[in-house]
Amino acid sequence: MDVLNALLQQIAEASFSSIHIVIDGVDECPDRQPFKQMLLAQLNHPRTTSKIKILVSSRPEHDLRKTWANRPQFLILPQHVLPSLEVHVQKELLKLPKLLQLPLSVQVDIATSLVCRADGMFRWVQCQIDALRKTRTSRALQNALSTLPDGLFETYDRILKQIDESDHEHVIRILKWLVGSERPMTLAELAEAIAIDPTKDQFDLSDRFMDPDEVLELCGSLISVRHDRKVVLAHFSVQEYLLSNQLKQSGELAKFALDDLVSRQYISRCLLTYVYTVGLHIQQLSQHAFDESKYPLLQYAKDTPIPRFHDFIAISSWAEAHFPSDEKGYAELRNIIQYAKPPAPHEDNYIDAWFVQVILLCALMCYWNEYLGLKRTEATRIAMNATSQRIGEMLVTLQLE
């Protein structure tokens, strides 16, 4: 927000006689109160009224309508975008060669049906065209046209229902990562991420996709690839749908319903499992250099803010499931952490080993500190005491060495 405010000030001080700024999708901002305050301050500034003209667009959310109550407003209704939508549909249908084989009257009927049912939503049209692209027979095409879904949520329902049950687990993982991720992910990162099973002790390399491109086929129109090759949810409405109460209460599809916080906690556990595996691999290399390219998600882990590993709910379930109860596993974990202590067995591996050490120690200390400070029932205290005690013993021992 400070960057945007500074940018507006720089623009205002520039030698332009008139400046027009368009800010789109304000309703998609998760914490828009600071933005509204900053923008109102800019709008009320004398230089803005005389030099800068700002157009803000969003859906008619209650708080935004209240904020702009004393400002000129106008609504964009479906009929206002009808000409543009018709052109868009015609251009998109031309990209489907098999539709061009149909009689012209049928092509016109298809275009008309899509435009009339879209209610001004370009996103809805794109999803239906994606569905038509998959039809292989005239009968299937006619069936698709006669059963067009109403609205985006029903469209997304249909997309999920068409996913093969054997792919459900991977699709849920994809959606969790894209909803809870700190930043957009490359295809290589996402393919690696969904291969992680945080319930396992280590990341199993045999769970990797043999062809990472197949990841893009699993979710249909729910995800897309940006121009910079980053994989993202195809539209803000997809995230709204996944986090909605409607999906949570949709019976067979409820398994796909997500929670933003739970998704972030899931990612934290996955990264801990991944980082532990990287640390184990580095420790096993002895005198050989670690090849980071063999672990495509490691840079993402390094980009992840440390506070992600301060979430006790996320850390506790990982620590209690993964902290080794046997001497062999205990020794492995200590060796992973101690590897980063200078002089490391291999100097080129020190930075990566140090990163692994920081993340693991951060998580273990978070668990230990929170556990000591929480009030628990006697049953829970007994059940968890062994893990917390051994973590405490390890931390003290490492500190003394």
Side-chain angles (χ1 to χ4, degrees), residues 201 276 318-334 364 386-387 390-391 394:
D201 291 338
Y276 175 82
W318 182 86
E320 290 160 18
H322 293 82
F323 191 81
S325 57
D326 61 293
E327 291 305 319
K328 180 177 181 295
Y330 185 83
E332 282 181 346
L333 179 56
R334 282 191 55 184
L364 294 177
T387 300
R390 284 179 66 81
I391 289 176
M394 173 179 283

Side-chain angles (χ1 to χ4, degrees), residues 322-382:
H322 293 82
F323 191 81
S325 57
D326 61 293
E327 291 305 319
K328 180 177 181 295
Y330 185 83
E332 282 181 346
L333 179 56
R334 282 191 55 184
N335 289 338
I336 289 172
I337 295 174
Q338 288 179 316
Y339 186 101
K341 291 187 175 183
H346 197 291
E347 290 184 1
D348 290 344
N349 297 341
Y350 179 75
I351 294 178
D352 289 314
W354 178 80
F355 167 74
V356 170
Q357 178 198 58
V358 168
I359 297 301
L360 293 179
L361 284 178
C362 178
L364 294 177
M365 291 182 70
C366 169
Y367 175 82
W368 191 47
N369 290 337
E370 289 289 338
Y371 173 73
L372 294 179
L374 288 178
K375 295 181 179 179
R376 299 182 180 275
T377 64
E378 190 62 27
T380 306
R381 186 183 299 278
I382 293 172

Side-chain angles (χ1 to χ4, degrees), residues 11-12 22 25 29 111 119 122 156 159 165 170 223 290 298 311 369:
I11 293 175
V22 179
C29 182
D119 196 30
F122 284 77
Y156 298 151
I159 292 172
E165 188 172 357
H170 279 123
I223 66 175
F290 171 66
L298 185 56
D311 186 326
N369 290 337

Side-chain angles (χ1 to χ4, degrees), residues 188-371:
E189 289 173 339
L190 184 59
E192 185 85 342
I194 67 171
I196 302 171
D197 183 348
T199 64
K200 291 184 177 180
D201 291 338
Q202 300 176 32
F203 172 53
D204 190 339
L205 302 186
S206 65
D207 288 335
R208 284 172 167 163
F209 274 54
M210 291 184 287
D211 181 4
D213 286 343
E214 291 185 357
V215 171
L216 300 176
E217 302 173 5
L218 295 176
C219 297
S221 299
L222 297 179
I223 66 175
S224 62
V225 182
R226 298 191 324 195
H227 62 87
D228 59 359
R229 301 302 296 166
K230 298 292 179 66
V231 184
V232 294
L233 294 175
H235 192 261
F236 183 67
S237 61
V238 176
Q239 178 160 321
E240 289 184 314
Y241 167 75
L242 294 171
L243 301 177
S244 69
N245 288 326
Q246 180 176 322
L247 184 57
K248 290 182 175 70
Q249 301 167 2
S250 62
E252 62 177 321
L253 296 180
K255 67 170 75 174
F256 295 100
L258 302 180
D259 177 88
D260 190 29
L261 177 59
V262 173
S263 295
R264 293 199 299 270
Q265 292 170 342
Y266 169 82
I267 291 174
S268 297
R269 292 194 296 273
C270 286
L271 290 177
L272 283 169
T273 298
Y274 194 76
V275 166
Y276 175 82
T277 305
V278 169
L280 187 62
H281 179 60
I282 292 176
Q283 191 268 331
Q284 292 170 342
L285 286 174
S286 183
Q287 300 300 318
H288 300 285
F290 171 66
D291 184 359
E292 186 173 332
S293 66
K294 293 183 178 179
Y295 288 87
L297 194 63
L298 185 56
Q299 185 57 52
Y300 179 95
K302 292 179 179 179
D303 294 341
T304 301
I306 288 295
R308 272 288 186 108
F309 305 102
H310 292 166
D311 186 326
F312 177 69
I313 301 301
I315 301 307
S316 61
S317 59
W318 182 86
E320 290 160 18
H322 293 82
F323 191 81
S325 57
D326 61 293
E327 291 305 319
K328 180 177 181 295
Y330 185 83
E332 282 181 346
L333 179 56
R334 282 191 55 184
N335 289 338
I336 289 172
I337 295 174
Q338 288 179 316
Y339 186 101
K341 291 187 175 183
H346 197 291
E347 290 184 1
D348 290 344
N349 297 341
Y350 179 75
I351 294 178
D352 289 314
W354 178 80
F355 167 74
V356 170
Q357 178 198 58
V358 168
I359 297 301
L360 293 179
L361 284 178
C362 178
L364 294 177
M365 291 182 70
C366 169
Y367 175 82
W368 191 47
N369 290 337
E370 289 289 338
Y371 173 73

Side-chain angles (χ1 to χ4, degrees), residues 69-81:
N70 297 322
R71 302 284 174 179
Q73 301 180 41
F74 65 92
L75 292 175
I76 299 179
L77 301 175
Q79 57 265 34
H80 295 154
V81 299

